[in-house]
Every structure is written in C-alpha cells, then in structure tokens.
Amino acid sequence: MRNWRITTASRRVLVALALAIGLAAVALSEGAHPPVAMAAVSGGVGALRVSGNTLVDGGGAVLDWTGVSRSGFEYACAQGWGFSDGPTDDTSVGAMTGWGIDVVRVPLNEDCWLGINGSPAAFSGAAYRDYISTYVQTLLSHGLAVVLDLHYASPGSALALSQAPMPDADHSAAFWTSVATTFRGTSGVAFELFNEPHDVSWGCWQEGGCNAPGYTDGSSSVAPYPAEGMQQLIDAVRATGATQPILVEGLSWGNDLTGWLSHPLTDPAGQLVAAWHMYDNSSCVTTSCWDAEVAPVSAQVPVVVTEFGQTDCGRSLITQLMAWADARGIGYLAWAWDTWSGCGGPSLLSAYDGTPTPYGSVIQAHFLAVQATRPPPSTGPSTTVTTTTQPTGPPVSPGPPVSPSPPGPPVTPVTPVTALPGPVAGRRNGALATTADGVLYGYGTVPQVGSLSGTRLDRPIVGLASTVDGGGYWLVASDGGVFSFGDARFFGSTGGIPLRQPIVGIIPTPDGGGYWLVASDGGVFSFGDARFFGSTGGIPLRKPIVGGGATPDGRGYWLVASDGGVFSFGDARFFGSTGGVRLDRPIVGVTPTPGGRGYWLVASDGGVFTFGDATFHGSEASTTPVVGMVASADGLGYALVDSGGQVMVFGDAPALPAPPPAQGPLVAVIGV
C-alpha cells in the first residue's frame, strides 16, 4: 500500500512521532544483526505448495484465497506506540473467519524485526519478533494461512518509517534470513519478498546491482542507495532450508507484471508465486489490461492479488476485479483490515469485532459467497505436482470474464466450426452421440431425456457432456450456448458474449455441479463448481484446440490441439503428446484414464496414441472421420465412433448396439 494511504488515514502519526522521539532507543551497531536462530512455530494449517500454475494445500486441494492485509505491524513499532494498530487476540482473529477469510497478510518492518537503526527498543528486536510469532500462531490456530510481507525497509542507518522503492543491500537479505529461519518449520506460512517495488528497471528488480532512487522516509530524505534484487532475497530464504512458497511482486507499485516472465527468477524449490496489486489509481485497471498483462502470467505460475482496493469508497472496480479473478482461479487479499477513517485507506472495518464499513460490506458479502461454494480445506501431507506443457506456445488468458446467460438457442454471430468431440469419461452402459443439429442418438441402455430435434439453431452443436448418473446431459453450440436436459442443471453460457474464437467442447466437473467451455484458441470459461486453472486463449497456436478432459477430482484439466499438443493445468499432469510427430490426420480429442494418470489421443482416421497409464488396445483405419472415443470404466478397453455412427470396439469395451442411421454426421460422442 502506498505511504500516503496510511499516513493520511492514521490519526496517530503526530502523536506517534512524538513518542518515538521521547523513547530510549537501543540500536545495534551498523552491520550487526540479532541472532536469527529461533524456535520454529507450529500451526494448524496444512502445508502450502505450488503445483503448476496453482497454489495447493497439503492434500492437493487448489487454493484461490479470499483474504485481507492486517496493516499496522509495519508502522506502529517504528513510530514507537505499539506493535500493531488494533487488537490481535483470539477474538479479533475470530472475527476474520466470520468474513469467509482464509488467509491474512502480515506487513512487517525490516528495522523493527532486526532491532536496528534506532527502532524503539520496547517494540523491536526480540520483542517484535516474539509478538509477530505469537500473532502468526493465533492466525494458524484459527485455520488461516499467513503471508509475511516485507513492507517497510530502509538502507544504511535510516529508520524505516515508510515504503522504499526496492529492498536495500544493507539489511533486506539479513531480514529474510531471520524471518525464514524463524518460520521454516511452520506449515501454512508463505513469504512475500517486498511490497510494491517501483521506479527501477526489470533487470534491477531481478538481480539488483543498481541504485534505487531516493525517497522520503517519514520526514527525512533518503539518498539513492544500492538495491538488492529479488533473486538475492530468494537465495537468502532458501539458504535457511525454508521451502515455503515465495511471492514476488512486479514493478509499478506491484501493478505491473509485464516483465515477470521475461526476467525469470530461479527457485530451487520451484515454489514461486507472482503477487499483484490493483487499486483505482493503478495503471492497469481494466479487464482488457488484466487479460493482456496478468492472465498470461497466471497461465504459467500462480498469481495472487495481495492488495486491492478502491480509494473513493466505490465498489464497481473491486466487484469487477473479484469476478475476473474468480473466473481464473486467482486469489485476492483486500487492503486493509483496519478502522482508519475516510476512504483513502481504504478501510474494511468500522470496528475490530468485524463490523464492516459500507465499503467493506461489499467485500465481506463477496468473500462469504465465494466460500460457500468451496469444499473444506485439506490438511494432509504436502505433495508437489510439476505441470509441463507441450510447447505450442505459452498459455494465456481466455479473454474477458463471462456472465451466465439464459439457456436457449445461441444467437452470437460466430463462424460455425466442424465436428469436434467432447469428454467421454463415466459409466459405460452405452454411449450418446449428437449431430450438429442437436439430434441425439443412443447406443446401448442410454435414456434420452430430450434433444434439439426440430429446433432452429443459429449455430451448430459442437459438444456433449453427461451428468454423473447419466440421467441428463448438456449440449453446447459453437457460440457457447448451453442446452440442458434431464437432471443436468444450467450453470451459465457464453451464448450472449462476443468470443474471439468459437467454442469447441464442454467438459463436465466430476460431480456434475458445473462445466468448462473450451474455445478453439484454448480459452476456458468456467461455470458452476468448475474452477479456472489456466488456458491457452489469446495467442497464435500452431494448431487449434479441439477438446479437453478433466482430472478425476476436478482440480485440473487437459486441453489438446489438433496436432496432438497437450496442455495441462491445475493438478493435471503432462504425460506426453504428439505435438512433434507428423500425423496423417488431425487429433480430435483426449480421453483421460479413470485414475487420471494418463490419457489417450484419438485421430480422425482412428489412430490411437497412449500416454501415462493409458494402454493401447488397438486401432482401425477408418475412411469415415472418427469423432471420439468411449473408454471402458476400468480403462482396459475403448470404442471409437465415427461420424456415420459406426462403432469400433477394442479391449474389454462392450459391443455397443448401433442406433438407426443418423440423419446427419455425428459431431460428438460420450460414454454414459
């Protein structure tokens, strides 16, 4: 948070400065630091880990946080009137849980932690470290994750009374050595290296070795000073043996991530997260900018909005941001859990019992609504899954967020696409196929609970998906219009939204409580309990995306291109692809194995390619284009269905009685 928001909001500054002058300061000599070895703190939150482009807990559940920054620890100690601004006891933390908060960011003061530069003795050094450790323990005991943030720092002998442009080469590495040593044995804690770096180059941000510009520290001027780079701070943390996630903000007060990927940081633990800030006075404040600058980063590494707010007490921008982040699985932490007066803070509270300001009530309501849709967190042992993608270009965002539109005939003027398959996992009583007109054909004992036969469609049907019990299904058109039948519920569509590229398929969540729509550029749109884990939308691919499939737990998915390039997101693992193999005919779909530890790719000529634990049971050259595969429930067989309705059975897949001849070419098939 920029300095002026704190200093104008706090009515205690003048009194605090007077107290600071009057207090006896016991400072260490320049270059000396307090002992860094402290007893590790134990917590009640599971381990936090990076898995692909997501944060996960110890049991592998994806974390898209709703949290707050608890401001006060960064300035109260240096100003000499306390450790924090407001209470930090069990009751005050309990009020946070009543908001649906699952993570708290704790801003820290470099000088107070290290006990240097004249920081008031009563509130710095060991006393400050013990106070912070106790507060972290209190947060963890309430099930809240913690992000420790270096918020105030200063070079040389200057006391840290405000934000600096960059970490300083004098003390910042020592600060992180001490903090990481303290908390390296603590589950549920992550480290945010530096708050809102600004006014330096990306090279300086990355490696240091430059002078950060001078700035005003409280009432004093600080001359340009040697800066420490983010890489040096990562190295300091990892040298302690700490393996927790490390959050790294971009430039321009944390609002600019454009150089984050092109100036790569090295973490031997593979646990880096991009942190991003967004306020109404930031530079990047529109969904188009977020799509262009933030979403490409979130497709490759986790992104967390560690500060956001609207300083005019409005709600339009923060509401838009939270909806945008929700659709992409990006967590966010609001600034700030404090009771400052006025809008400039901006403050969420009118009282520390959790009573919100009118502004804060908007965020509180959104947090509670989001939390109501989430399963309880898991606290099992930590696991790390490395996600790799076949190189057909870096994945980026799916474009602007979408709002659910009513079911009904699609109307968006999008160029129609040809036959493309949908997902096929499920029980195997039979199969269900559809034509581009939405006329359905069943194989075996498959109930038909409706179709679009006789309905005039503006755009063709391109995908089909079944509910868990087979008692319902969805059809999706190329403009993203969704039609639900039987016990399939309508959760939303893109039927009224202009799309950059047409929809090519629909992927249901394992419990049938939602679905993803996939566009030919790899844009992914999530509805119901489907969560966004990443996409390839918005960049030129060598070949278009033609389909996808979900992992068994619904915490990830694969997208496949027509050249067999495979892109994995969330907890979906990459097992291989045909992206570098010359194919006689294009790939038309991917079918995950029942356990999610492999997949089959099927080509339009009936060629089958196996990866992971997917086994090859045979293939058959087909002169009629194959539109999809139906795998048996045990994964020991499969059937291929061509556009004319013919079935080719392999392995233990049961024979599927053919329906009457189709009145048009089939475009998608699923197992039911």
Side-chain angles (χ1 to χ4, degrees), residues 9-36:
S10 176
R11 293 175 293 180
R12 304 189 185 184
V13 173
L14 293 178
V15 174
L17 289 174
L19 287 171
I21 294 171
L23 285 171
V26 179
L28 298 178
S29 62
E30 180 62 27
H33 303 293
V36 296

Side-chain angles (χ1 to χ4, degrees), residues 132-390:
I132 296 299
S133 296
T134 299
Y135 186 56
V136 169
Q137 178 61 55
T138 302
L139 293 169
L140 294 171
S141 69
H142 283 263
L144 302 176
V146 178
V147 175
L148 296 173
D149 151 51
L150 176 51
H151 211 84
Y152 278 12
S154 59
S157 59
L159 178 61
L161 292 169
S162 62
Q163 290 179 231
M166 278 287 287
D168 59 274
D170 296 324
H171 317 298
S172 296
F175 168 87
W176 277 116
T177 296
S178 179
V179 171
T181 299
T182 302
F183 295 101
R184 63 188 172 193
T186 307
S187 296
V189 171
F191 306 129
E192 187 171 1
L193 293 183
F194 190 76
N195 182 65
E196 298 185 341
H198 57 276
D199 295 323
V200 297
S201 68
W202 279 103
C204 177
W205 170 90
Q206 179 187 28
E207 294 287 352
C210 60
N211 276 343
Y215 65 102
T216 301
D217 186 31
S219 59
S220 303
S221 295
V222 176
Y225 61 94
E228 198 82 290
M230 300 302 157
Q231 186 61 60
Q232 285 70 42
L233 299 186
I234 293 170
D235 295 344
V237 171
R238 295 302 181 225
T240 69
T243 60
Q244 291 102 321
I246 294 176
L247 288 74
V248 188
E249 295 179 30
L251 290 175
S252 190
W253 303 87
N255 184 242
D256 179 9
L257 293 182
T258 57
W260 207 99
L261 296 176
S262 59
H263 293 77
L265 301 168
T266 301
D267 177 17
Q271 296 294 303
L272 294 184
V273 178
W276 182 54
H277 289 189
M278 205 292 300
Y279 290 94
D280 53 318
N281 56 3
S282 298
S283 298
C284 186
V285 295
T286 63
T287 56
S288 60
C289 184
W290 305 338
D291 288 336
E293 297 186 5
V294 182
V297 180
S298 73
Q300 298 197 38
V301 298
V303 170
V304 176
V305 187
T306 53
E307 284 188 24
F308 74 95
Q310 196 163 337
T311 58
D312 60 359
C313 288
R315 65 184 65 185
S316 58
L317 183 61
I318 59 171
T319 301
Q320 186 178 45
L321 173 70
M322 290 187 287
W324 182 89
D326 290 337
R328 288 153 180 81
I330 294 175
Y332 40 83
L333 288 74
W335 185 274
W337 188 265
D338 286 271
T339 59
W340 308 316
S341 61
C343 300
S347 176
L348 300 174
L349 300 178
S350 59
Y352 282 107
D353 62 2
T355 302
T357 59
Y359 167 83
S361 66
V362 177
I363 293 174
Q364 178 193 40
H366 191 93
F367 281 11
L368 291 172
V370 169
Q371 287 291 345
T373 68
R374 294 178 178 169
S378 127
T379 56
S382 173
T383 58
T384 302
V385 178
T386 302
T387 300
T388 310
T389 59
Q390 189 275 335

Side-chain angles (χ1 to χ4, degrees), residues 323-324 326-327 400-408 412 479-482 489-497 513-515 517 525-530:
W324 182 89
D326 290 337
V402 297
S403 301
S405 60
T412 307
D479 65 350
V482 175
R489 293 176 55 199
F490 176 78
F491 297 105
S493 76
T494 64
I497 305 294
Y515 42 74
L517 303 185
F525 303 86
S526 53
F527 301 92
D529 66 359

Side-chain angles (χ1 to χ4, degrees), residues 41-42 127 172 184 191 240 280 376 382 428 435 449 536 580 583 588 665:
V41 185
S42 62
S172 296
R184 63 188 172 193
F191 306 129
T240 69
D280 53 318
S382 173
R428 298 297 174 255
T435 68
V449 290
T536 64
L583 300 174
V588 296

Side-chain angles (χ1 to χ4, degrees), residues 89-129:
D89 56 6
D90 272 309
T91 301
S92 65
V93 173
M96 293 177 171
T97 62
W99 273 51
I101 290 167
D102 52 20
V103 60
V104 176
R105 180 172 176 254
V106 180
L108 300 178
N109 186 295
E110 177 179 276
D111 292 352
C112 293
W113 181 275
L114 295 174
I116 60 173
N117 290 349
S119 53
F123 305 114
S124 65
Y128 182 82
R129 297 191 297 272

